[in-house]
Amino acid sequence: MTQPPPPPNQPPQQPGFGPPQEPSQPQQPAPSAPATPPTPPAQQPPAGPDLSKAPQPGYGYPQAPGTPPPAAPPTPPQGPGYGYPQQPPAGYGYPAQQPGPYGQPAPYGQPQQPGPYGQQPPYGYAQPTVPMQAQPGQQGGGRKINAQVAIIVSAVVAIALIVGGGVWYANSSGKDDDKQTTAEGGDTKGGKGDGKEGGGSGDGGATTGEAKEKAPASTGSKVLFQVPSPKVPKGTTSIPISGSWLTDSVYAKSGLSEITGYDRQTGTKKWTLDLPGPVCTATPHLTEDNKTAIVHKPAMPTAQDPKSCTEVAVIDLEAGTKVWSKTAKSGTMPISFNNVTLSGGTVAAGSTSGGAAWDVATGDERWAPKTSDSCYDAGYGGGPKLVAVRKCGSYDQRQLHIQTVDPKSGDVLAEYKMDEGIEYAAVVSTDPLVVAADVGDSAGDGSGISDFFSIDSKTGKLRARLSAPGDEFAARCDGIYKVENCSGVTVGNDRLYIATEEHDSGGESYSQTNEVVAFDLATGKQTGQRADAGENYEIYPLRMDGPNVIAYKRPPYDKGGQIVSIDGASFKETLLMENPSTEAVRDVESRMSPEYSEIQYGQGGLYMSSVYASDFTTREKEYSVIAFGTE
């Protein structure tokens, strides 16, 4: 795709600048074509995804030509390991950054794996034998990079927030600092990006109740606090620090071998829970009394002993205590878990070598998936219901069974069998049940999505298939390891809300933009609703808020990001927050991309965090968390 000229006031780019070539996932046969969606309203923007035509079937969908490798800086030599470190892009129009630490090897020589937030399987975990063939990548005119790059993003783009050599805290900032950390009125008024003109992945689920997030008297935010990035042990390149949660009083975040609860407003530590090893993976779901589940290693990894992710634990986020910790075995070997979730008072964890389920309150084992020579539970989606992604058959005859499971007994209540040849699937929502898959590897961009499948969780019948070609839509899922981790998409009102790819906004400004559009889960057709990001903004749905969609707008290089609420009926946007436009704050925010970071918003607070701690840095100070708040 031809790179557009730079927007006004943007430093010039080198000719031919674009992403390096990207490896692809394995090719798969295609299921039958989906029902044809209807034509949305005739009023369309001058450029971008052609939403006036019916989407084509996922398999064999035309691929956009790959963008040539960058002319400057020079392309680094290719290192060993799948998913070689790449320099991630900053916000569109953001001044060029210093090149990252190219040429770094993968941790302990392990091949890197794709993940929605820059995650990877635990060190030493056996990798599946999947053929990896490189093919041209696709940038889509925006920031999208393939899932293999995700592994290194949090490490390379370590956050740096330096203002007068100090650390900001809302309760200790002076008057001058306050001016630097508060979005001024001139940045929140006027323009197409203010979010005032109408039209985690969140937890999905059925829409209930009313919207809770309301616009404050002043939408300009300021930095509340930030958390320094932990230093990795000597000889270690990177360690996962995935996992962040938000309650009414606590923001909790994983560290190297601990979880810390912070006061939501001041960043003061309320508690620290020490763990014997790093958190490998965590569920975003919480119980009603604010408990959650994690998988962690039994000790800190070393080059000689990387350790496996064998420990499943329940954490009380209010008290800052570990409720219980359990392991499970497959035969005589401890299971190394890839994913964990919560539903119906049950903790369920899965992997290629087996799974298990425990009572949230007591830790008593409830059930284990039935094992056979040809089937295993690859992972689970939680929340309102419990859904298993069960793999059956050999690699060349793979079939996925999407099963709604009784969380207490493990009994299969309903089952949908996907067409053979679909190797991976991710659970976007369990109620209504929506699954994403890359059929025939036709997405072509590493997003893991070419189609969504709307399934009746009571009967197991397919309601509709929604085609979402990778060159038109910006959502991504990791169906390989983190079964319920998706970004750029959320579900509610029996609709799927998804971000489109960035595209030219039209006119002579050469600006970029995108939209959030809606699909009806009953028919598979687009509803015609759309929420525009605004000139040089990029919008991502985060989660549902009753009938409304909470979305983050990634800003251009000279503005701060925004949080908006999109009315589920009218699609009118209401601005809830706009972040400071000062350079130091923008520098931090631009490194927290929605695809590869954890973003939590609630009660007027926005919390952005990285998922890796690393020694890939040239900066004096790094931060793993930055929090914003309105008055």
Side-chain angles (χ1 to χ4, degrees):
M1 181 174 291
T2 303
Q3 180 72 12
N9 302 321
Q10 182 188 351
Q13 297 179 357
Q14 297 293 334
F17 184 79
Q21 303 299 313
E22 302 170 352
S24 68
Q25 294 180 4
Q27 296 290 324
Q28 309 291 350
S32 57
T36 303
T39 302
Q43 186 74 22
Q44 300 294 344
D50 186 358
L51 300 177
S52 65
K53 67 178 179 63
Q56 299 300 314
Y59 181 73
Y61 196 86
Q63 302 300 315
T67 310
T75 303
Q78 293 299 311
Y82 176 51
Y84 188 74
Q86 312 278 342
Q87 174 70 7
Y92 180 80
Y94 195 85
Q97 303 296 319
Q98 293 298 319
Y102 291 114
Q104 295 288 352
Y108 306 128
Q110 296 294 326
Q112 305 289 6
Q113 299 294 340
Y117 299 124
Q119 303 201 17
Q120 69 176 19
Y123 301 129
Y125 189 79
Q127 311 297 341
T129 55
V130 180
M132 303 298 182
Q133 297 179 351
Q135 72 176 31
Q138 169 207 334
Q139 188 75 353
R143 309 182 184 92
K144 193 166 186 178
I145 54 180
N146 79 346
Q148 287 78 20
V149 179
I151 177 69
I152 201 65
V153 168
S154 295
V156 178
V157 296
I159 310 167
L161 182 57
I162 306 173
V163 177
V167 175
W168 292 334
Y169 282 90
N171 60 348
S172 62
S173 296
K175 184 176 181 180
D176 292 339
D177 286 340
D178 216 36
K179 291 181 180 179
Q180 295 297 314
T181 61
T182 303
E184 299 294 333
D187 291 325
T188 59
K189 297 179 181 179
K192 297 181 181 179
D194 61 7
K196 296 181 181 179
E197 298 180 6
S201 161
D203 56 7
T207 302
T208 57
E210 298 181 356
K212 296 180 180 179
E213 307 295 349
K214 307 296 182 182
S218 174
T219 55
S221 72
K222 65 179 180 181
V223 176
L224 299 177
F225 64 90
Q226 59 285 316
V227 177
S229 183
K231 300 296 183 183
V232 299
K234 186 177 180 180
T236 303
T237 53
S238 63
I239 287 181
I241 52 172
S242 59
S244 61
W245 305 269
L246 197 59
T247 74
D248 289 341
S249 60
V250 172
Y251 171 73
K253 174 62 184 171
S254 296
L256 285 189
S257 59
E258 72 280 330
I259 299 175
T260 302
Y262 302 91
D263 183 278
R264 287 182 47 143
Q265 294 298 316
T266 65
T268 303
K269 288 184 180 181
K270 301 187 74 170
W271 50 261
T272 297
L273 173 64
D274 292 327
L275 299 170
V279 175
C280 304
T281 186
T283 179
H285 301 298
L286 303 178
T287 63
E288 291 184 358
D289 57 352
N290 292 322
K291 293 182 176 64
T292 192
I294 65 170
V295 176
H296 66 87
K297 296 189 176 187
M300 291 298 292
T302 65
Q304 294 73 31
D305 187 3
K307 303 296 182 183
S308 296
C309 299
T310 56
E311 314 297 309
V312 178
V314 166
I315 308 300
D316 187 327
L317 296 174
E318 292 296 337
T321 58
K322 183 188 293 186
V323 180
W324 53 258
S325 181
K326 299 290 181 178
T327 60
K329 290 184 177 181
S330 177
T332 59
M333 297 297 294
I335 297 175
S336 184
F337 294 103
N338 299 130
N339 56 78
V340 66
T341 196
L342 285 172
S343 182
T346 293
V347 176
S351 75
T352 56
S353 57
W358 301 268
D359 184 280
V360 170
T362 64
D364 294 339
E365 184 171 335
R366 283 189 163 176
W367 49 268
K370 295 179 180 178
T371 58
S372 69
D373 293 338
S374 60
C375 293
Y376 65 92
D377 285 7
Y380 303 95
K385 294 185 178 181
L386 184 63
V387 173
V389 176
R390 188 167 178 82
K391 289 192 174 187
C392 293
S394 59
Y395 172 75
D396 56 350
Q397 290 183 313
R398 182 78 74 202
Q399 186 174 45
L400 300 183
H401 298 194
I402 308 302
Q403 301 175 332
T404 300
V405 176
D406 184 317
K408 290 184 171 57
S409 66
D411 294 339
V412 177
L413 304 178
E415 180 178 71
Y416 170 70
K417 295 181 180 180
M418 304 187 78
D419 289 348
E420 287 189 8
I422 301 176
E423 183 71 12
Y424 305 107
V427 178
V428 181
S429 168
T430 61
D431 186 20
L433 177 53
V434 180
V435 172
D438 187 358
V439 180
D441 193 31
S442 58
D445 58 359
S447 65
I449 306 171
S450 67
D451 298 84
F452 293 93
F453 298 80
S454 173
I455 301 167
D456 189 318
S457 61
K458 294 182 179 179
T459 65
K461 294 182 178 180
L462 180 69
R463 299 176 65 199
R465 176 173 165 183
L466 295 64
S467 180
D471 61 347
E472 292 187 20
F473 296 94
R476 59 176 57 245
C477 293
D478 177 12
I480 300 178
Y481 295 105
K482 318 297 181 183
V483 169
E484 64 176 356
N485 280 0
C486 295
S487 65
V489 62
T490 192
V491 173
N493 304 321
D494 206 35
R495 285 173 167 78
L496 180 140
Y497 302 96
I498 184 172
T500 68
E501 277 285 11
E502 274 194 310
H503 56 82
D504 293 339
S505 59
E508 299 180 357
S509 65
Y510 304 109
S511 61
Q512 296 271 289
T513 190
N514 79 321
E515 303 81 30
V516 169
V517 299
F519 283 84
D520 189 311
L521 293 177
T523 65
K525 300 176 181 179
Q526 289 190 36
T527 65
Q529 296 168 305
R530 60 189 303 125
D532 296 322
E535 188 173 5
N536 279 334
Y537 284 83
E538 189 174 6
I539 188 169
Y540 289 84
L542 297 177
R543 63 174 177 87
M544 297 303 297
D545 175 31
N548 296 347
V549 178
I550 299 298
Y552 171 72
K553 287 188 176 183
R554 195 177 187 196
Y557 76 93
D558 58 347
K559 294 183 181 295
Q562 298 177 347
I563 293 291
V564 297
S565 177
I566 304 171
D567 186 279
S570 68
F571 252 48
K572 179 181 179 181
E573 296 178 40
T574 299
L575 180 66
L576 301 180
M577 172 183 286
E578 182 164 17
N579 292 337
S581 60
T582 53
E583 182 178 358
V585 179
R586 297 197 317 263
D587 183 58
V588 175
E589 188 172 6
S590 68
R591 286 167 167 74
M592 293 291 188
S593 70
E595 305 101 317
Y596 308 115
S597 303
E598 294 172 341
I599 300 179
Q600 306 273 357
Y601 176 83
Q603 301 177 27
L606 173 63
Y607 305 83
M608 309 177 78
S609 65
S610 57
V611 294
Y612 264 82
S614 173
D615 64 356
F616 294 153
T617 182
T618 58
R619 297 172 177 270
E620 294 181 1
K621 289 190 177 183
E622 302 173 20
Y623 295 91
S624 62
V625 174
I626 185 166
F628 300 92
T630 54
E631 297 295 339

